[in-house]
Amino acid sequence: MSASTVQHRSPLLDAPGAVAAEGPDAGVAWHYGDPHGEQRALVRGEAVVDLSHRGVLRLSGPDRLSWLHSITSQALTGLAPGTSTETLVLSPTGRVEHALHLVDDGEATWITVEPGAVDALRAWLERMKFMLRVEIADVGQEFAVLGEPSRSDVSSHGPVWVDPWPGATPANEGGSADTASYSAVSTLEHPGAERPWREVVVPRAGLVAAVDGRRLAGTWASEALRVEAWRPRLGLETDERSIPHELDWLRTAVHLHKGCYRGQETVAKVHNLGRPPRRLVQLHLDGSSHDLPAHGDDVVLADKVVGRVTTAARHHELGPVALAVVKRSLPVDAQLHVVAGSGTEGAEQRRIAAAQEVVVAP
């Protein structure tokens, strides 16, 4: 077993009140005893989230940006030092395989990825190098990631990736034609505009010192605010069929007029000739149930399955909410239910009423 596949356990789990997360965020804290208070502290910009389970790659060599430009979805040639962006690795048929949070410091490109994704991504990148002058290093044993509510690209600790979500105003709203939005609302009305977020890369040996004197918030809090912002996350909002259009991910991760890259044909065809087969929605759930649905639980219209829950969370103001991917043809005023437990074999099932809020327009 390689070092990057060993089960991660953050030293911040030893902080008072820490309760460990499960699933994709195993190894860091779900909360520290006050999840709603932690959410409110994040909204005020007064807390930090342990994301030290994320993978970290460092790419060096003079061809690094032009090479990444040629194999991923974003325009990266000429990327100025300190400028944050995100890019996707797509399959030949345009399905989302990897999501890269990327910032270049002028000497190297720093990339953070979802927990457990770094080995597969690094192996693919190594296969794609050919004779180019690029060196790929998995530095997750030396560096860790912290998340915090800020749009500043300056840090005293190390490289900083500033989340571009929800991105620049697209062409149909008077902005650049190099991206596109499938959202049901304008960028100014997009809830993601109220969620400043960044990732700071810090020396792993100094992780505890980097948060000294600061309030800690768990992934319960950060995920609830991500759901509120309609922000897709690889492995949760995505499955083996996902294309970026379904999640409104073109707006920050795909450049529509760059050169050829793997999956570009599907991106262009769907954008130019039609609509994606599925769409992201936000569900406002009946709060009378104490339990939340799980990732993969069915969304139903009457007894017909029309989608699946991707992420569910308890928000400090909105109450129980979820993101879900549903059929594009589903009426926007349909009376929906979530069948909690349907995504887990042998689990007790219960129906939860769900009001649909349109994210990606049908």
Side-chain angles (χ1 to χ4, degrees), residues 140-156:
Q141 295 299 304
E142 294 81 40
F143 294 93
V145 180
L146 294 171
E148 57 188 12
S150 172
R151 289 197 171 100
S152 170
D153 59 6
V154 177
S155 170
S156 60

Side-chain angles (χ1 to χ4, degrees), residues 177-227:
D178 291 330
T179 186
S181 171
Y182 287 77
S183 176
V185 301
S186 71
T187 300
L188 293 177
E189 298 171 315
H190 197 290
E194 301 300 320
R195 176 185 168 267
W197 191 253
R198 71 178 191 171
E199 294 175 358
V200 180
V201 179
V202 302
R204 189 169 290 276
L207 180 63
V208 174
V211 301
D212 185 45
R214 304 186 64 187
R215 177 162 186 176
L216 294 172
T219 59
W220 174 329
S222 60
E223 286 292 274
L225 298 180
R226 180 181 69 80
V227 170

